[in-house]
Amino acid sequence: MKPKKFKESTKVLQRPSTMSDDECSALPVYCDGNQCVSCWKPSFKERLLILIFGRVWLGVLSGKTQPPVFVSGESVFVKPPFKARFLTFISDMKQVIVNAFKSVKEAFGKTDKRNHFLAGFAISYFIGFLLPWLGLAIAGLVGGMKECWDLKGNNTAEWLDFIFTCLGALCAYPFACIIHALIF
């Protein structure tokens, strides 16, 4: 039998240095701390022998003892039910959002990020008197142009600078809408 690559594998075990490639080859495995699973494909002759005699031989080169092993003709990777996968997805997304808010909160403590926020707010607010959506668009455009200018070696370009400029513009948008409605 030959070891097969499979999509669930997490690493590849290499052959011992004392053995040749003919004696032992690299083995793709799935490891989760409790078990190590590999996938093997029998040759046509081996398939016939298994079909006729119904036996599979397992050899483990471990010395004086036999570690706990198992052999299965079925995949050991059972897909969890939809509800469990959905709840895991929701939990993962919650963690992503919490981490994003922590990053934003931490970054907002920096003067540079506050300045970007205030610049986006001011542009969106004052241009938003005329057309609120135009103020929002111009603030985003100015923030993007500033980061492009920084990329050309004029300063340090950071994606968070652009994000904070846009956040400031978004926060000013409702106020610009109110003032626009009162004036016009």
Side-chain angles (χ1 to χ4, degrees):
M1 289 193 194
K2 298 284 183 189
K4 293 256 320 163
K5 291 181 181 179
F6 55 104
K7 67 178 181 177
E8 295 88 359
S9 66
T10 56
K11 63 181 176 179
V12 177
L13 302 178
Q14 300 300 323
R15 69 172 171 78
S17 60
T18 58
M19 299 179 88
S20 69
D21 284 332
D22 293 335
E23 294 175 300
C24 182
S25 62
L27 179 63
V29 295
Y30 163 81
C31 289
D32 65 1
N34 295 319
Q35 64 181 348
C36 193
V37 178
S38 59
C39 180
W40 297 78
K41 184 174 183 177
S43 66
F44 181 73
K45 179 182 174 184
E46 289 169 324
R47 289 180 195 191
L48 285 176
L49 291 171
I50 293 168
L51 181 66
I52 294 169
F53 298 108
R55 293 184 298 213
V56 175
W57 297 91
L58 173 67
V60 178
L61 300 175
S62 67
K64 298 177 182 175
T65 183
Q66 173 70 45
V69 297
F70 64 89
V71 177
S72 176
E74 299 178 44
S75 174
V76 297
F77 302 102
V78 179
K79 196 173 186 179
F82 175 76
K83 183 179 179 182
R85 288 183 286 139
F86 181 74
L87 292 175
T88 301
F89 172 77
I90 295 297
S91 174
D92 291 347
M93 287 301 103
K94 177 184 170 191
Q95 192 60 44
V96 166
I97 291 169
V98 166
N99 290 343
F101 275 108
K102 284 181 183 177
S103 294
V104 168
K105 182 180 177 185
E106 184 180 300
F108 202 71
K110 298 176 182 174
T111 306
D112 178 52
K113 303 302 180 263
R114 284 196 305 264
N115 290 342
H116 278 274
F117 181 88
L118 292 173
F121 188 95
I123 293 167
S124 181
Y125 184 74
F126 290 114
I127 295 175
F129 284 130
L130 304 172
L131 290 171
W133 62 267
L134 184 63
L136 192 63
I138 289 177
L141 183 65
V142 168
M145 288 171 49
K146 162 66 166 78
E147 293 313 304
C148 286
W149 185 72
D150 288 346
L151 273 173
K152 292 184 179 181
N154 297 309
N155 207 342
T156 304
E158 294 181 51
W159 66 272
L160 270 179
D161 289 348
F162 175 72
I163 297 294
F164 272 87
T165 304
C166 291
L167 283 175
L170 283 171
C171 288
Y173 183 74
F175 297 109
C177 287
I178 292 169
I179 299 299
H180 177 75
L182 291 174
I183 293 175
F184 298 102

